[in-house]
Amino acid sequence: MDSRQNDPQDGVIDENPFSPEAMATAARLLSTEQDRAEVAQATAALSRDGYCVVEGVLSHEQLMAVRSEVDRLNAQTPASASSFGGFDTRRAFNLLGRSRVFDPLATNRLVIAVVEAHLDDQIQLSEASTVTLEPGQRAQV
């Protein structure tokens, strides 16, 4: 594709979403300042502790559906076959590709606000997985 700027006169339109023109007009963040202020304590906990809890992301019904889906995926997933992975640990990968039940965890405005407040506009979701340690699982590396 021609890398020239969009020019309706000559019919050249750069449809690349990462072109300089597209990036100049794109919104940098999905969350609002108000969203990021609302989760300031969670963001501080993430920076301080490496994790945070964001209350109210899922309704009770959504939470029950997520738990049920995790149980279903765990039943289909063999335990790890190595001490590194944990012999009594089940890891289900690609959650967003396996069930729509997990979508609210990645698309919730408060979750996005925490991520954007922590990482600014440098976000890319590349893995959504569960790690379930069964009773008796020893500490892992």
Side-chain angles (χ1 to χ4, degrees), residues 43-60:
T43 303
L46 178 59
S47 295
R48 182 186 64 243
D49 304 327
Y51 73 94
C52 67
V53 175
V54 182
E55 302 266 343
V57 169
L58 299 176
S59 68
H60 179 74

Side-chain angles (χ1 to χ4, degrees), residues 19-100:
S19 70
E21 297 81 21
M23 295 302 287
T25 61
R28 287 191 50 204
L29 301 174
L30 298 173
S31 62
T32 66
E33 285 185 37
Q34 183 178 354
D35 291 338
R36 292 187 298 281
E38 189 174 338
V39 294
Q41 288 183 337
T43 303
L46 178 59
S47 295
R48 182 186 64 243
D49 304 327
Y51 73 94
C52 67
V53 175
V54 182
E55 302 266 343
V57 169
L58 299 176
S59 68
H60 179 74
E61 293 77 20
Q62 288 173 312
L63 178 59
M64 293 300 104
V66 165
R67 285 182 173 176
S68 177
E69 193 65 1
V70 168
D71 289 345
R72 184 185 74 77
L73 292 172
N74 280 341
Q76 298 175 352
T77 304
S80 174
S82 72
S83 60
F84 179 82
F87 291 112
D88 293 313
T89 299
R90 298 185 189 283
R91 298 169 190 270
F93 296 98
N94 191 22
L95 299 180
L96 297 174
R98 295 176 80 176
S99 174
R100 299 285 54 98

Side-chain angles (χ1 to χ4, degrees), residues 28-32 35-36 39 43 54 57 103-120 123 125:
R28 287 191 50 204
L29 301 174
L30 298 173
S31 62
T32 66
D35 291 338
R36 292 187 298 281
V39 294
T43 303
V54 182
V57 169
D103 289 357
L105 296 169
T107 61
N108 179 274
R109 72 176 182 83
L110 297 178
V111 172
I112 291 171
V114 169
V115 173
E116 288 184 335
H118 187 69
L119 297 175
D120 193 38
I123 63 173
L125 179 60

